[in-house]
Amino acid sequence: MTPIWPDHLFLVGCGNMAGQMLARWLACGLDPARVTVLRPSGKPVAEGVQVVTDYPSALPARTTVLLGMKPYQLGDVAASLAPLCGGDTRIVSILAGTRLAELRARFAQAGEIVRAMPNLPVGIGEGVTALHADAALPAASRGAVEAFIAPLGLAEWIADEGQFNEVTALSGCGPAFLFRFIDAFARAGEALGLPADQSARMALATVRGSASMAARASESPAILADRVASPGGMTRQGLNVLDADERLLKLLTDTLAAARDRGEEMARGG
Ligand SMILES: NC(=O)c1ccc[n+]([C@@H]2O[C@H](COP(=O)([O-])OP(=O)(O)OC[C@H]3O[C@@H](n4cnc5c(N)ncnc54)[C@H](OP(=O)(O)O)[C@@H]3O)[C@@H](O)[C@H]2O)c1
């Protein structure tokens, strides 16, 4: 999908996550002259990108605002930003746990509001971004948002906003779970006697190669696993361990459920 860039992009906060998104957009051709970043530290972001420490007196026409600060700062940010937003301002919020209704209440005069939940690999264009907007958001606007998010990787609309914690558990927290898996895979090789550095390299390359292969295959990963495992062979013997009592599935379900439950707890203020 060819990216469609906003006429102007105003980032509120440019830390770990928004910084990754912006870096990828710039690498894919977004003109830095169209970007303004507001961050209290005033630290430079990238050549040609204007960084400000205070709000301008007005936003350019058809600005897309990316809310990329911490969720608890929304009240302060909205107090200064909302008066600058008009019907042609699109707001994209990556604030975890902040619902559309709250954003709409804070930015009553703004145009379209979209929630986005990106994960860290967006910085290399291989991320996952879950999107949610009012059912009334026109198809053309959805298309424009998708074309803006496309350089970051996979974009998926979530119909039910109540599922954001599930989505965050899977794709938002997912990179950490997979880093842990890769590490454990390498340490398991080491436990069997392989040199640690060699096992680490081989584990990472095996995960990367298998993920790329699964992404290109027409069969599901479940079928691919069975294809690799001939009856009575080594792979089948190993899979029997992962599959016993659905051990791996249960472990991962418990992992996602714990992350989701923590999201719900935090939303209740815990
Ligand atoms: N990290 C993730 O994996 C992830 C995933 C999905 C969504 N998110 C969401 O992304 C948002 C940012 O998280 P992060 O990890 O990127 O945090 P972060 O690295 O701490 O970045 C926060 C940014 O907000 C800026 N900021 C601080 N106070 C501000 C204020 N009063 N007004 C405007 N900007 C202010 C900071 O400015 P300085 O740079 O000047 O300090 C910084 O650029 C959060 O809402 C989080 O829910 C994060």
Side-chain angles (χ1 to χ4, degrees):
M1 186 183 278
T2 314
I4 298 179
W5 305 120
D7 287 12
H8 192 81
L9 179 62
F10 185 76
L11 276 84
V12 185
C14 194
N16 289 322
M17 182 47 72
Q20 291 289 320
M21 297 168 85
L22 179 60
R24 177 67 185 169
W25 283 321
L26 293 170
C28 289
L30 171 64
D31 179 358
R34 292 193 194 196
V35 184
T36 305
V37 168
L38 182 143
R39 67 191 311 189
S41 66
K43 273 196 279 185
V45 170
E47 205 174 321
V49 171
Q50 188 190 16
V51 176
V52 296
T53 55
D54 206 353
Y55 292 85
S57 53
L59 292 176
R62 294 176 301 282
T63 291
T64 292
V65 171
L66 184 83
L67 296 179
M69 68 296 169
K70 295 287 189 188
Y72 73 86
Q73 292 163 327
L74 178 62
D76 286 349
V77 167
S80 305
L81 182 61
L84 311 180
C85 297
D88 64 343
T89 311
R90 172 184 290 143
I91 294 182
V92 177
S93 163
I94 65 167
L95 310 183
T98 304
R99 295 185 73 99
L100 212 48
E102 182 173 2
L103 294 165
R104 176 51 70 198
R106 302 267 189 194
F107 297 97
Q109 307 306 319
E112 297 160 356
I113 303 185
V114 175
R115 275 186 75 183
M117 178 49 62
N119 68 4
L120 275 176
V122 293
I124 54 167
E126 295 190 37
V128 175
T129 305
L131 298 168
H132 175 78
D134 274 341
L137 188 74
S141 302
R142 283 177 192 263
V145 171
E146 283 167 27
F148 177 44
I149 297 294
L152 307 180
L154 176 72
E156 289 276 335
W157 289 96
I158 305 302
D160 176 1
E161 189 176 19
Q163 287 193 333
F164 252 89
N165 283 324
E166 282 79 356
V167 162
T168 306
L170 181 69
S171 61
C173 309
F177 303 152
L178 284 157
F179 295 149
R180 190 66 106 226
F181 174 85
I182 297 167
D183 180 59
F185 203 33
R187 285 165 54 195
E190 191 186 341
L192 294 192
L194 293 175
D197 59 334
Q198 193 173 48
S199 191
R201 285 193 300 274
M202 290 172 75
L204 177 58
T206 300
V207 170
R208 182 166 53 197
S210 308
S212 297
M213 205 176 141
R216 282 173 213 169
S218 49
E219 296 95 348
S220 68
I223 291 175
L224 290 178
D226 282 332
R227 287 255 165 90
V228 182
S230 36
M234 290 172 66
T235 310
R236 173 62 59 194
Q237 208 60 27
L239 279 180
N240 288 345
V241 175
L242 290 178
D243 295 346
D245 304 320
E246 300 206 306
R247 198 184 271 186
L248 181 63
L249 177 62
K250 282 188 181 138
L251 178 65
L252 290 177
T253 307
D254 288 350
T255 302
L256 297 198
R260 176 208 52 204
D261 293 350
R262 180 64 189 135
E264 287 171 3
E265 215 174 78
M266 288 191 297
R268 291 192 297 269

